[in-house]
Amino acid sequence: MDCIVRINEELGGDFFYLGLEPLEPIADIRPGRFFMVRCSQSADPFLRRPMSVADYKKDGSGFGLLVQIAGWGTSLLSTLVPWDRIDVIGPFGTNFEVPDKARSVWSVAGGSGVAPFLGLVDHTEGHVDHTVFLGARTSELLIYADRLKDRGASVITATEDGSAGEHGLVTEPLIKKLDSGEKPDVIFTCGPTPMMRAVAQIAEAHGIKCSVSLENRMACGFGACVGCVTKKRGEDNYITVCSRGPVFDSFEVEI
């Protein structure tokens, strides 16, 4: 489906935000789901790139993508200007789901992993207390901390070089908050695999339900190429992240 570029905003570091308006409303956009994005009008690059939904309108008339330049395809996307057109397929995959009776949600994000939590905070504001633990290597790579605060979330930041927030890994303030006696109904996490593995282990040790959003490399987006498989926990079977995920219960998959 063709979308019109409404916004291309540089965010610092290698990040930029694309605000898109589809020619027709798109149903079932949810936090954690993703689009397969064509990066140019030519066949180079040939493969689409998977992009997690950031914010979105409930009526499907607009949505945003948080993109980090990581190669040729994303570099091309960074050159788009308002009124350009971009072709997307989707949305695909599972999403983060807040339990009906939940009153407290903690989300742990690393770098571009903050993307799905923008929409999650937007569309649960006033219904749950949301705390976002946001980590990055440096302050330049901390994306959307202020926006999350403006939407009513409590934001706790950590940087590995100590340039903003707590000095260290984002899991450290998470552990401190749990050790203080606070406990959420559910923990969501998205970002680098080692971070998500640590978050899942911490959640399980405290008896807290945890959902993880895996970021395996994808080529097709709907399970045909079997290029994004991950191992099921406690089994020898593998499942495709694009069609069975990307959001999984942490007990379901090996991270």
Side-chain angles (χ1 to χ4, degrees), residues 4 10 12 25 35 43 55 86 92 155 184 187 194 200 208-209 239 241:
I4 299 171
E10 294 184 9
F35 287 90
D55 53 356
I86 182 174
F92 295 112
V155 179
I187 293 178
I208 303 168
K209 178 179 173 61
I239 53 178
V241 170

Side-chain angles (χ1 to χ4, degrees), residues 103-213:
R103 292 294 177 266
S104 176
V105 175
W106 292 2
S107 297
V108 186
S112 60
V114 69
F117 303 130
L118 295 175
L120 186 67
V121 169
D122 280 347
H123 295 288
T124 57
E125 185 180 3
H127 300 287
V128 298
D129 292 325
H130 206 134
T131 299
V132 180
F133 298 81
L134 184 56
R137 293 193 305 275
T138 70
S139 59
E140 185 183 32
L141 301 177
L142 281 174
I143 305 298
Y144 282 137
D146 289 338
R147 175 170 172 175
L148 289 165
K149 291 177 184 177
D150 291 342
R151 293 296 191 274
S154 298
V155 179
I156 299 172
T157 59
T159 51
E160 294 178 27
D161 66 355
S163 55
E166 296 201 24
H167 188 179
L169 301 176
V170 71
T171 48
E172 294 173 19
L174 172 65
I175 293 171
K176 288 180 183 177
K177 199 168 180 67
L178 287 168
D179 287 346
S180 73
E182 296 186 57
K183 186 176 180 180
D185 295 299
V186 64
I187 293 178
F188 298 145
T189 184
C190 182
T193 298
M195 182 206 75
M196 291 194 293
R197 183 184 302 118
V199 171
Q201 291 171 348
I202 293 166
E204 291 172 19
H206 287 80
I208 303 168
K209 178 179 173 61
C210 179
S211 295
V212 301
S213 179

Side-chain angles (χ1 to χ4, degrees), residues 230-252:
T230 195
K231 191 175 182 181
K232 292 194 70 174
R233 191 167 177 179
E235 300 181 17
D236 290 330
N237 296 327
Y238 288 79
I239 53 178
T240 52
V241 170
C242 64
S243 61
R244 297 285 296 276
V247 179
F248 295 93
D249 186 294
S250 62
F251 280 101
E252 186 178 356

